[in-house]
Amino acid sequence: MHIAIAGNIGSGKTTLTRMLAKHYGWTPKYEAVDHNPYLEDYYKDIPRWSFRFLGFKDLLQLHQDETTIVQDRSIYEGVYVFAANNHKTGSMTARDFNVYMGLFDAMTHILRYPDLMIYLKASVPHLVKNIQGRGRDYE
């Protein structure tokens, strides 16, 4: 089974993923925040870095894993929230967006959708408090 946790930055996705994995003995899969070589650059210059790698290798590992996986951000947010918003606001060109969506479409023909997606909703003050508490300057 594949469970994806979705929500705004600072909404508690990683915390819920950790708690569910610990409680049920599931395999946690965390967003590569500390090991993503493009994330800080993305926040500094969104138009330059909005065409990020989709993480196909990670998706293949999820698809091949037979344990129950709980994931703290899925590719679906990357595509339907971040890429779509970057395109809509002009931070991603139409050409890049079309290529990005083509790659995503090809990947989803090979892979399965999550069995369950949980969306975490939080107020802006709560999100800001959590983001500031982490101390990541680029956020």
Side-chain angles (χ1 to χ4, degrees):
M1 182 182 313
H2 176 197
I3 301 160
I5 310 297
N8 288 69
I9 183 172
S11 63
K13 295 178 300 296
T14 301
T15 300
L16 181 58
T17 298
R18 188 181 317 100
M19 291 170 64
L20 290 171
K22 182 179 178 182
H23 182 80
Y24 291 106
W26 295 340
T27 303
K29 296 292 182 183
Y30 299 104
E31 182 181 19
V33 174
D34 295 329
H35 305 293
N36 185 330
Y38 299 104
L39 195 56
E40 189 170 351
D41 292 329
Y42 172 79
Y43 281 110
K44 287 179 183 174
D45 188 354
I46 293 173
R48 167 69 176 93
W49 296 103
S50 62
F51 187 83
R52 298 181 339 171
F53 178 68
L54 286 171
F56 190 55
K57 182 180 172 185
D58 295 335
L59 291 174
L60 281 175
Q61 289 174 343
L62 286 173
H63 181 70
Q64 294 168 350
D65 197 321
E66 295 188 15
T67 65
T68 296
I69 295 168
V70 58
Q71 182 183 21
D72 80 338
R73 165 116 35 224
S74 74
I75 188 173
Y76 303 99
E77 286 176 281
V79 171
Y80 296 120
V81 176
F82 294 105
N85 187 54
N86 286 336
H87 177 248
K88 185 177 179 179
T89 62
S91 294
M92 180 185 278
T93 66
R95 179 181 66 175
D96 283 351
F97 182 72
N98 290 333
V99 169
Y100 195 93
M101 294 306 293
L103 290 169
F104 173 72
D105 185 55
M107 283 189 255
T108 56
H109 280 71
I110 297 168
L111 308 171
R112 67 180 192 267
Y113 287 97
D115 298 295
L116 174 66
M117 184 173 283
I118 300 169
Y119 176 72
L120 301 179
K121 185 176 180 179
S123 68
V124 172
H126 178 81
L127 299 172
V128 169
K129 178 183 169 208
N130 284 352
I131 292 167
Q132 290 174 339
R134 289 196 287 235
R136 295 180 192 144
D137 292 337
Y138 56 86
E139 290 182 330

